[in-house]
Amino acid sequence: MHAFSHGSTSSTAVVVPPSLALPVIEAEFPRQLHPYWPKVQKNTRQWLLEKRLMPADKVREYADGLCYTDLMAGYYLGAPDEVMQAIADYSAWFFVWDDRHDRDIVHGRAGDWRRLRHRLHAALDAPRHHLHHPDPVVAGFADCVLRFNGFLPHSWNQRFARHFHAVIEAYDREFRNRTEGYVPGVAEYLALRRLTFAHWIWTDLLEPSAGCELPDAVRKNPAYRRPALLSQEFAAWYNDLCSLPKEIAGDEVHNLGISLITYEGLTLEEAVREVRRRVEECVTEFIDAERDALRLADGLDDGTVHGKELGGAVRACVGNMRNWFSSVYWFHHESGRYMVDSWDDRSTPPYVNNEAAGE
């Protein structure tokens, strides 16, 4: 199922601002959507209500327009329907958690954040015991983790948990940075961003989508790891490029552009150009890295049943790394998450709940 360069939830064509337009993505990275997407959107909307992750009025008014399911349905092509649904719900949860983290910072709720952080660590290690936690963010997370744990062997579950424990701690680092008004240096920011954007989580989820856990020798092979990293760096930095006005309005300190302005003395216009240059470089480098990864897949397909399965799984994962570029690109121009000019208050998204939760 192909999607054209307009929102899947709207018939209105999307106009990409020239400063954010990437002709190479529009021309060479055709956008697709998982055929299960219409059901995913409906089911995730219902899941948000059942798990009390968003108030009913906000789900009704904003959920579809935020396009969270579109983002995932454009990435994990070929995933079994139940895997696609679990990833879509988890993605919606992740955005809600991110907003909760932001509101806890804005309203100085350090104690609330500290408790949530510890509860998420606990839910990650024992999700079944947290399915009915009074905090919807904890219960919703436990539900997602428990579903993920049923798709692949325990070794994959352990890796996912290890990677997400690091994400939680990176969010805590962000909490402290913002509370203290500390802007991380460029290198420090890039390392932190790989964790807060959850680079390795989204990469891990390529495997249940392909129906196969990749052995360490494949996952850690530079021919596989490089395109995986480039696809995620593109997404994180393009997000920085698009969200820079929103984050400046919200007194954020975590954005590649903000670090460049603070530590390298760039003007806003120069910082935008530099972030854009890095984004474009990710695309061109990915095209080369993709070839190496596909050669790796060909080498794994040695004529045995196992080799054919492994080679096919790597091809599927690499194909979805490519899909990530177009999905991320169009998401940023379709989702209401970045349309700050339409908000009553540019520093306060209209779809968030400003009240403390979980107590």
Side-chain angles (χ1 to χ4, degrees):
M1 176 180 177
H2 288 271
F4 301 100
S5 56
H6 55 70
S8 49
T9 57
S10 171
S11 60
T12 305
V14 171
V15 177
V16 180
S19 62
L20 303 176
L22 298 175
V24 65
I25 296 294
E26 298 182 25
E28 298 184 30
F29 289 75
R31 185 186 189 188
Q32 303 177 78
L33 284 175
H34 196 289
Y36 191 62
W37 171 76
K39 291 184 179 177
V40 167
Q41 186 187 49
K42 177 182 176 183
N43 292 343
T44 295
R45 192 190 310 124
Q46 185 60 34
W47 185 80
L48 287 167
L49 288 170
E50 289 175 357
K51 297 301 178 183
R52 299 179 295 116
L53 284 163
M54 289 177 70
D57 61 327
K58 292 191 183 294
V59 170
R60 185 167 54 250
E61 187 171 357
Y62 298 109
D64 288 354
L66 289 168
C67 300
Y68 297 158
T69 57
D70 305 45
L71 177 64
M72 294 297 112
Y75 184 13
Y76 296 100
L77 274 290
D81 291 353
E82 63 175 345
V83 175
M84 183 71 259
Q85 187 65 63
I87 292 173
D89 291 348
Y90 168 73
S91 171
W93 172 86
F94 202 112
F95 281 111
V96 171
W97 175 50
D98 185 73
D99 291 334
R100 169 85 164 269
H101 176 259
D102 175 72
R103 294 296 95 186
D104 281 349
I105 293 167
V106 169
H107 296 290
R109 300 192 294 245
D112 289 344
W113 164 249
R114 184 174 60 252
R115 283 186 288 273
L116 177 58
R117 169 191 166 208
H118 292 313
R119 288 165 179 170
L120 291 176
H121 279 305
L124 186 54
D125 290 332
R128 196 176 300 276
H129 296 152
H130 292 79
L131 289 174
H132 304 291
H133 196 280
D135 186 338
V137 172
V138 177
F141 180 58
D143 179 72
C144 293
V145 173
L146 192 61
R147 289 153 73 189
F148 287 157
N149 284 353
F151 295 137
L152 290 177
H154 184 60
S155 51
W156 184 93
N157 301 342
Q158 288 181 310
R159 186 198 338 146
F160 178 89
R162 184 172 67 252
H163 286 164
F164 204 83
H165 279 304
V167 171
I168 296 168
E169 287 306 292
Y171 263 69
D172 186 56
R173 177 71 259 180
E174 277 206 351
F175 191 100
R176 284 178 281 143
N177 286 349
R178 287 182 63 188
T179 299
E180 298 164 6
Y182 171 72
V183 178
V186 174
E188 181 187 357
Y189 170 74
L190 293 177
L192 181 63
R193 184 64 160 146
R194 289 176 181 174
L195 293 171
T196 57
F197 198 82
H199 281 24
W200 303 118
I201 293 295
W202 304 118
T203 303
D204 287 339
L205 288 169
L206 292 168
E207 294 169 59
S209 298
C212 178
E213 181 185 20
L214 300 180
D216 283 356
V218 173
R219 286 192 309 104
K220 296 180 180 180
N221 188 309
Y224 181 85
R225 194 171 178 86
R226 179 154 178 75
L229 179 61
L230 285 167
S231 72
Q232 294 298 322
E233 299 280 52
F234 166 82
W237 300 346
Y238 192 68
N239 175 269
D240 280 4
L241 189 63
C242 294
S243 63
L244 188 56
K246 167 178 175 274
E247 292 179 344
I248 289 176
D251 293 324
E252 248 288 8
V253 296
H254 298 104
N255 185 293
L256 179 54
I258 293 172
S259 290
L260 289 166
I261 291 167
T262 303
Y263 290 97
E264 298 193 6
L266 274 59
T267 65
L268 175 60
E269 293 75 16
E270 290 168 340
V272 167
R273 284 198 296 272
E274 173 59 16
V275 176
R276 182 186 171 95
R277 184 193 66 77
R278 293 180 186 227
V279 165
E280 291 173 333
E281 196 172 70
C282 281
V283 181
T284 56
E285 289 186 8
F286 174 83
I287 292 171
D288 290 336
E290 180 184 37
R291 296 191 192 101
D292 292 338
L294 292 174
R295 279 194 287 270
L296 171 66
D298 290 342
L300 293 169
D301 191 348
D302 58 5
T304 66
V305 172
H306 176 68
K308 183 176 181 180
E309 179 188 64
L310 191 55
V314 170
R315 287 188 198 95
C317 291
V318 174
N320 281 335
M321 292 173 196
R322 165 174 275 271
N323 289 332
W324 192 222
F325 285 83
S326 58
S327 194
V328 164
Y329 180 75
W330 291 114
F331 169 71
H332 280 85
H333 304 296
E334 295 170 355
S335 173
R337 191 172 181 86
Y338 303 101
M339 297 179 182
V340 295
D341 290 336
S342 67
W343 301 353
D344 292 337
D345 177 355
R346 288 171 61 88
S347 67
T348 305
Y351 48 81
V352 300
N353 181 4
N354 270 298
E355 297 177 4
E359 297 307 316

